[in-house]
Amino acid sequence: MRFARATLCFALLATTATSACSLHLEQRDAVASRRRSYNNAFFWRHNTQFRTSGAIHFAHGKQHDVLQLGTLAHAAEIDRDFEAECLAWFRDPPRMEPTMMTYGPHVGQAAWRLYQAIDWTHIHHEQTYDILSDRDIPWSKKAEVTRDAVDYYLENLPRAARSPAPLELTMRRAMVMMKPYFGVYRNNHPRSATFFYYAHWWHPAIYEAQMLGGNGSEQDAIVDATHATSTEVLANRPQRMLLSREIMPRYSRMSPESANIFDNLHMLHGIAYAILAYDGWTIDEKRAELYRVVEAMSAQPGDRELARKFAIEHPDVDPRRYEPWMRGYEGPMNKMMEEMFEGMWPMMSPDGSKEVPPEVREQLKMKLSPATQPGELPGSLHDAVMKLVPNMKMDKEGMKPGATPKHAAMATKEWLDKAQGMPNVEPFPMTDGAAK
Amino acid sequence: MMRGALFLAVTLIPTTALAADHTNLEEGLPVEAADAYVVGHYSREVQALTRYEYSRERTSKVTLDPRFEWGVIRNGQVAVRVPVVLETGKHVDIGRVAADALYNFNQETLTVPAFALGGMIEAPTGAESRRKGFDPAVRLNVTKHLPGTTFLHALHFNGVWQFNVRRDEMERSGRYRLIGAYSFRVSSWIMGIADFAHEQRMQTGKVQNLAELGFRMQLTPLLVAAVGGGVGIGADSPAFRAAVAVQYRPF
């Protein structure tokens, strides 16, 4: 009896102490993955690729702690060592896919909701690979079963689920360009950043290989051949984040929701790394900003209706080929960032002019590229632009951790208006035995 | 002894498909310590534990402990277990059937551990069912990972108080169990756990201590296997114990 009383007192004391100290407390709210007959199909059918996905997710998890526990002063050394570790894991991938907490426990304790969003979406990755891998699901049913997986993903953890709307919308909601961390990760950790550019080529390339292969044995051959392209891509990495619509146009047409969810996740990775790499904020401030971005890029009412609002430039891409257009700066991701900046500029320029000065545009391009380019001004994009245009009108409140810049609402509305006139991308015909 | 070994072998054969998450520590799988986290909402998990115990009196006991665990609400789980016990010189017996619930209150932060409170009720069966009552228990689980490192290392505390509703003359009115544990990542798919369990037995004056080491291995995305063992410390403790277990999400 004495023990029971002591236990109760301990629990009450702990609860009182934690609430009194206004410590950041939240519930875990874990939800199990959808249990269906297709579970494990990717694991058994494409085990090499399953394990490669595990290596990539190891890198994602550990990068959080490496950046948070490291310092910008030692960034070059940290970047070199971490890239070497990522490549070693790529060569000898893990047997299982680790959760973010497994190799990044420090940040997991500081900002749990970030990990919840990432892990929940990685489960969606795994399930959608499973669906395409499972021979027992007729090809004509793949879209329907994928839609069911998307429903489960969106409905059960709406705050953790990434938006099914295109990145053009969610990036405007998040509006991170003039935050003090923007560019810090790409500038100071270019080897790691481009490893993830490779990873974000690999994930969609494997989906597209499955789409090309169909249910039969051709899927195995095309997936293996696509995976083999990794060597070439790693040796000459993309200089931008590749979008789902670029590398997996067929899959994006079959499940635009799922494709956008992955783009939103991949961009969240990059923003989270920039926030953690930035050394001007405390961990509490970083959490406030991380949670703001997690929220801004989450699934929100009306997002699903916008899922098909994107254009496909290369509908017949072959994922086995690493095309020249996949490698450089030019592409939809950076075009989107430049358009956002152009939209913000009239509100920032001292004289209200609409034209972005050439020297500012040049700095923007350099800040959107990995590593420090010749002629690039140090610091964030904000720092560089302020040096060129000292009288620039700044939204000082919007730069603070956890605050949404005032440009966000207007930019979001502008894009929503524009989206009304945009045609929907066509569904992909999924007929039995004809994947192409 | 032979019958015990046979039981162990038979139990292991059919358990090829069974779990969930090797980082989520479960009581008895394979060591006594559990963490403060529960399975995900909607998770339905079958668990099968086989434990061999050798006493200082040179008797063997094999416990086959099948369980069903369900993430019935967000942050809460319930489980039922129906153990079967085979002991040297005794008939095969159904052990104490138990139902328990555990609720996790919070995700830990850099400074605040995770807390979970639970309740359990054990029902007497077999030989003792006529003279024993339903014994409820309460438990507190606390988990804290070590901050400032990329190693996944954590400290755990479990405290249990069990009431003895229909006590015999030589029994306590209730008993406690205290467990301290340290878990550590071995690889992406293997977790290690070392624990020390100190508990009172219901018989007056008897306490048991056990030092254990176990490993939990994620074999497939749905299947976890666990192996472990421990040695007893003190006259009332078993000489040693070994356990193998599997967990699986069948539906």
Side-chain angles (χ1 to χ4, degrees), chain A residues 33 40 42-43 46-62 89 92-104 115-130 202-203 207 262 265-266 269, chain B residues 20-23 152 185 187-191 217-224:
Chain A
S33 59
N40 277 2
F42 190 58
F43 173 82
H46 301 293
N47 193 257
T48 300
Q49 288 73 33
F50 175 90
R51 294 180 66 172
T52 301
S53 179
I56 288 170
H57 294 170
F58 150 80
H60 275 309
K62 187 160 182 178
W89 275 68
D92 183 18
R95 185 188 174 95
M96 282 297 138
E97 177 176 326
T99 61
M100 293 298 99
M101 190 74 182
T102 312
Y103 287 91
Y115 279 14
Q116 188 184 39
I118 296 170
D119 285 331
W120 186 234
T121 312
H122 284 169
I123 288 173
H124 185 60
H125 255 316
E126 201 173 295
Q127 298 229 304
T128 44
Y129 282 132
D130 281 341
W202 184 90
H203 270 303
Y207 282 107
F262 297 135
L265 172 72
H266 297 167
H269 284 312
Chain B
D21 179 1
H22 66 302
T23 62
L152 188 73
R185 185 191 69 220
S187 74
S188 68
W189 61 287
I190 304 176
M191 286 295 293
M217 295 156 286
Q218 185 96 41
L219 299 183
T220 79
L222 298 172
L223 174 67
V224 169

Side-chain angles (χ1 to χ4, degrees), chain A residues 207-224:
Chain A
Y207 282 107
E208 201 65 356
Q210 292 180 298
M211 290 293 289
L212 267 182
N215 261 347
S217 57
E218 209 179 345
Q219 180 178 135
D220 305 274
I222 298 178
V223 166
D224 287 344

Side-chain angles (χ1 to χ4, degrees), chain A residues 1 3 10 18 23-24 26-30 32-33 35 40 94 96 101-103 105-106 109 112 156, chain B residues 37 41-42 74-75 103-105 107 109 112 140 144-145 148 152 160-161 185 188 219 221 248-249 251:
Chain A
M1 203 57 202
F3 178 76
F10 180 64
T18 51
L23 293 168
H24 170 76
E26 56 193 335
Q27 286 208 286
R28 196 171 173 91
D29 286 339
S33 59
R35 186 69 180 91
N40 277 2
M96 282 297 138
M101 190 74 182
T102 312
Y103 287 91
H106 182 81
Q109 294 168 71
W112 170 250
N156 283 289
Chain B
Y37 295 119
H41 190 202
Y42 306 126
R74 294 276 166 107
N75 308 303
Y103 187 80
N104 165 253
F105 288 93
Q107 163 63 32
T109 69
V112 181
L140 168 72
K144 183 72 192 80
H145 283 84
L152 188 73
V160 180
W161 176 262
R185 185 191 69 220
S188 68
L219 299 183
Y248 181 65
R249 285 186 61 203
F251 54 89

Side-chain angles (χ1 to χ4, degrees), chain B residues 1-65:
Chain B
M1 181 73 179
M2 277 304 291
R3 282 201 299 174
L6 183 64
F7 223 117
L8 191 72
V10 168
T11 310
L12 283 175
I13 292 167
T15 50
T16 51
L18 298 201
D21 179 1
H22 66 302
T23 62
N24 181 20
L25 310 186
E26 303 267 5
E27 182 186 358
L29 307 175
V31 297
E32 290 299 309
D35 61 18
Y37 295 119
V38 297
V39 294
H41 190 202
Y42 306 126
S43 176
R44 288 178 290 251
E45 195 172 306
V46 174
Q47 304 174 341
L49 162 69
T50 303
R51 179 188 291 146
Y52 174 77
E53 200 170 283
Y54 189 68
S55 75
R56 292 179 191 279
E57 292 78 35
R58 299 186 177 182
T59 60
S60 294
K61 183 164 105 174
V62 175
T63 307
L64 170 62
D65 189 358

Side-chain angles (χ1 to χ4, degrees), chain B residues 95-154:
Chain B
R96 291 174 73 81
V97 174
D100 63 67
L102 187 68
Y103 187 80
N104 165 253
F105 288 93
N106 65 301
Q107 163 63 32
E108 68 193 283
T109 69
L110 288 169
T111 51
V112 181
F115 293 94
L117 279 177
M120 179 183 74
I121 188 147
E122 268 188 4
T125 58
E128 66 168 13
S129 59
R130 287 185 186 167
R131 58 186 180 85
K132 298 299 293 178
F134 286 78
D135 293 339
V138 289
R139 75 180 297 145
L140 168 72
N141 291 3
V142 183
T143 288
K144 183 72 192 80
H145 283 84
L146 305 188
T149 170
T150 61
F151 295 114
L152 188 73
H153 288 196

Side-chain angles (χ1 to χ4, degrees), chain A residues 263-274:
Chain A
D263 283 342
N264 280 301
L265 172 72
H266 297 167
M267 181 46 72
L268 176 65
H269 284 312
I271 297 173
Y273 296 152

